[in-house]
Amino acid sequence: MTKKVQFMDTVLRDAHQSLIATRMSTEQMTPILETMDGAGYFSLEVWGGATFDACLRYLDEDPWERLRTIRRHVKKTKLQMLLRGQNLLGYKHYPDDVVESFIEKSIENGIDVIRVFDALNDLRNLITSVKAIKKYGGHCQCCICYTISDIHTNEYYVELVKGMDKMGADSIAIKDMAGILTPAHAYSLIKAIKEVTDLPIQVHTHTTSGIAEMTYLKAVEAGADIIDCAISPFSGGTSQPATESVAIALEELGYDTGLDLEKLKEIADYFRPIKEEFRGNGLLNPKVMDVEPNTLLYQVPGGMLSNLLAQLKEAHKEDRYEEVLKEVPIVRAELGYPPLVTPLSQMVGTQALMNVISGERYKMVPKEIKDYVKGLYGQSPGPISEEIKEKIIGDEEVLTVRPADLLEPKMQDFADELGDLAESTEDVLMYALFPQLAVPFLKKRKDPFYDVPVQMVTVTYA
């Protein structure tokens, strides 16, 4: 019996987020959507992650209207999004009523599959999301944030999957945001998961470190049901492997992908000049296409590497780059081995940078790191160093409750604050997540002659 392997294409979300900072517009996507709908994909990743923020910040687009537009053109294929659990699409925890409302409206506006993760793999931070996804009829894909440490063993991940299965997950995703899932680990981990659940397994990685295609092959051999790829013009580098190439290779090995290669060629031909347009205007930085073996050494996602370099350039400390890279795994271990995924990747990276450029470790500590150590983001995967904890928060109490239990309902407050600028619940949610972006956007929508103020960002270093 031929084994079927299905594909999700990431070109409309993660691929252009990884390569061109999420700058592809809805107008650029729309003409090819019906062809993509007929190509045989399991799903198209179209929303979530940084798309909501980028629509408002850079493209002057309503992110909800983008989703509705895509849904109008894609009739057969599932639409998928990435959700940061209690953080939704932001960088802090939101009250339960905001989380439930956001998920309700995401499904109502066209999303079928919600891949939901917590940066710490703290299942308590997924409870509200999972319940809401099930309540409103979505497919709940619970997600493991894959990382490597002394505590992140196959047994650790298997226990997570058991908990997700019990919570009501419809499928499981292995999210390798840094491109550090090696072929051997992919094979053994998926085999171990398959022993405790019948749920479909979807695997997500990045080609940053140069091993992603091998990882996918071993994942498929171990029983993975769905893999994430990107149509070739937006594949490679910090993106995903090329859809067409992986499909052809797997077909030759006897797997049924269900993909129409002629339609894939048409899709690739469509996106190729769009990629060249971004190359020409400088938004496609050639560095994001490099293979970075340091990813495997320091377990740092490609986007985090470039962000650290940018911060060091701002501080005129580029020569300290290697020191900062070496400091990252040390800080991560001291903080209980958090996975390096948003927002923890930014937090750990900034702390490592401050440790190096200040000349004294933990002399400067961002508020976010203090909140993390206090338990406001959830339970750290491993114990935080007692010495470091004392340095950061002294003898302050560490919270053990689910962080969102401390948050009062806020939807009505947000609606009252926005007043008559809000024409829908979607507008209120836009304001709840990104108030500084939503207000000028909504004012301009109400009054086309409204002059949106220029936003200045100042970064200071001690």
Side-chain angles (χ1 to χ4, degrees):
M1 182 176 173
T2 303
K3 163 72 175 169
K4 188 171 180 67
V5 180
Q6 294 181 289
F7 282 62
M8 179 178 85
D9 202 295
T10 66
V11 67
L12 303 178
R13 206 288 294 179
D14 196 28
H16 78 107
Q17 179 173 320
S18 297
L19 298 183
I20 56 171
T22 333
R23 295 298 207 280
M24 196 186 299
S25 68
T26 305
E27 185 180 7
Q28 289 172 309
M29 300 173 183
T30 305
I32 198 63
L33 291 175
E34 290 172 20
T35 303
M36 295 183 78
D37 192 24
Y41 294 112
F42 166 76
S43 64
L44 300 174
E45 190 185 39
V46 301
W47 219 54
T51 57
F52 201 101
D53 180 352
C55 277
L56 293 170
R57 190 182 301 274
Y58 303 113
L59 302 172
D60 193 29
E61 288 189 19
D62 183 336
W64 295 102
E65 185 55 35
R66 168 178 292 192
L67 176 54
R68 290 189 288 266
T69 298
I70 294 172
R71 181 78 281 173
R72 283 195 295 271
H73 290 274
V74 179
K75 306 290 189 184
K76 298 178 290 186
T77 310
K78 293 180 178 68
L79 298 185
Q80 187 155 337
M81 73 170 291
L82 180 68
L83 193 77
R84 299 174 189 141
Q86 205 74 30
N87 291 358
L88 294 177
L89 305 180
Y91 306 98
K92 64 178 183 180
H93 283 196
Y94 294 92
D96 288 337
D97 67 328
V98 178
V99 173
E100 178 170 343
S101 183
F102 187 88
I103 288 169
E104 177 187 10
K105 289 301 176 182
S106 297
I107 293 169
E108 185 180 303
N109 281 277
I111 289 295
D112 299 296
V113 182
I114 298 183
R115 176 180 292 175
V116 58
F117 74 93
D118 176 66
L120 295 173
N121 289 318
D122 185 339
L123 295 185
R124 298 175 305 166
N125 292 333
L126 301 183
I127 292 171
T128 302
S129 296
V130 172
K131 285 181 179 176
I133 296 167
K134 304 292 284 185
K135 178 179 178 179
Y136 295 108
H139 175 113
C140 178
Q141 185 172 93
C142 284
C143 183
I144 293 166
C145 290
Y146 180 80
T147 189
I148 300 169
S149 78
D150 294 342
I151 67 164
H152 289 94
T153 61
N154 282 357
E155 292 73 22
Y156 168 89
Y157 290 121
V158 164
E159 288 304 311
L160 273 181
V161 169
K162 287 180 181 176
M164 292 169 172
D165 200 343
K166 191 173 180 181
M167 290 170 73
D170 295 304
S171 60
I172 300 294
I174 300 171
K175 177 179 171 61
D176 172 30
M177 54 279 173
I180 58 174
L181 178 61
T182 61
H185 282 161
Y187 187 86
S188 66
L189 176 57
I190 292 166
K191 281 289 188 185
I193 292 173
K194 284 285 184 180
E195 288 178 6
V196 300
T197 184
D198 294 326
L199 293 175
I201 297 175
Q202 186 161 345
V203 185
H204 174 92
T205 191
H206 292 253
T207 51
T208 317
S209 63
I211 61 171
E213 290 84 358
M214 291 186 287
T215 295
Y216 275 165
L217 178 57
K218 296 305 290 184
V220 166
E221 288 177 356
D225 301 280
I226 311 162
I227 54 177
D228 294 2
C229 290
I231 201 72
S232 54
F234 279 88
S235 69
T238 52
S239 179
Q240 282 75 47
T243 301
E244 312 96 297
S245 304
V246 175
I248 291 167
L250 290 177
E251 291 273 0
E252 285 193 355
L253 289 168
Y255 293 92
D256 174 18
T257 68
L259 291 171
D260 183 328
L261 293 179
E262 284 302 313
K263 280 193 167 60
L264 293 185
K265 182 181 183 302
E266 187 179 340
I267 295 164
D269 288 343
Y270 175 81
F271 279 109
R272 198 166 288 113
I274 293 176
K275 178 185 179 179
E276 291 309 310
E277 183 180 330
F278 282 107
R279 193 196 304 275
N281 65 22
L283 275 172
L284 178 62
N285 186 329
K287 287 186 179 298
V288 301
M289 302 306 298
D290 291 346
V291 173
E292 182 50 85
N294 278 338
T295 298
L296 295 171
L297 297 175
Y298 300 120
Q299 299 158 28
V300 176
M304 186 177 167
L305 287 169
S306 57
N307 188 52
L308 287 174
L309 187 55
Q311 287 180 288
L312 285 166
K313 282 183 178 178
E314 184 78 19
H316 306 292
K317 302 279 187 183
E318 298 99 314
D319 58 321
R320 312 295 293 278
Y321 183 56
E322 194 69 26
E323 287 178 71
V324 174
L325 283 184
K326 289 176 180 176
E327 178 70 5
V328 167
I330 298 170
V331 169
R332 183 168 166 259
E334 291 169 338
L335 295 178
Y337 294 108
L340 295 178
V341 65
T342 302
L344 269 300
S345 54
Q346 293 91 329
M347 290 158 57
V348 170
T350 299
Q351 186 63 66
L353 184 143
M354 287 180 170
N355 285 356
V356 169
I357 67 175
S358 70
E360 182 182 336
R361 304 186 75 244
Y362 298 100
K363 178 183 179 182
M364 300 161 62
V365 180
K367 179 184 181 296
E368 292 80 5
I369 290 288
K370 291 178 181 177
D371 287 346
Y372 165 75
V373 174
K374 289 177 189 175
L376 288 171
Y377 284 85
Q379 177 66 50
S380 61
I384 296 173
S385 159
E386 288 297 328
E387 178 189 350
I388 299 305
K389 186 187 298 181
E390 187 176 342
K391 263 189 173 184
I392 293 174
I393 63 168
D395 58 1
E396 286 189 58
E397 182 184 359
V398 176
L399 298 166
T400 56
V401 299
R402 184 182 75 110
D405 287 341
L406 304 173
L407 303 175
E408 295 293 328
K410 286 282 287 181
M411 277 299 288
Q412 189 57 54
D413 290 345
F414 289 135
D416 292 344
E417 289 170 20
L418 202 50
D420 63 2
L421 278 179
E423 297 176 0
S424 64
T425 302
E426 287 87 342
D427 289 347
V428 176
L429 289 163
M430 185 191 300
Y431 173 75
L433 268 63
F434 300 103
Q436 291 181 318
L437 301 176
V439 169
F441 178 84
L442 294 172
K443 283 184 176 180
K444 188 175 180 183
R445 185 182 69 185
K446 197 175 187 69
D447 176 8
F449 296 102
Y450 172 75
D451 190 15
V452 177
V454 176
Q455 296 185 27
M456 301 296 290
V457 178
T458 303
V459 181
T460 57
Y461 296 88

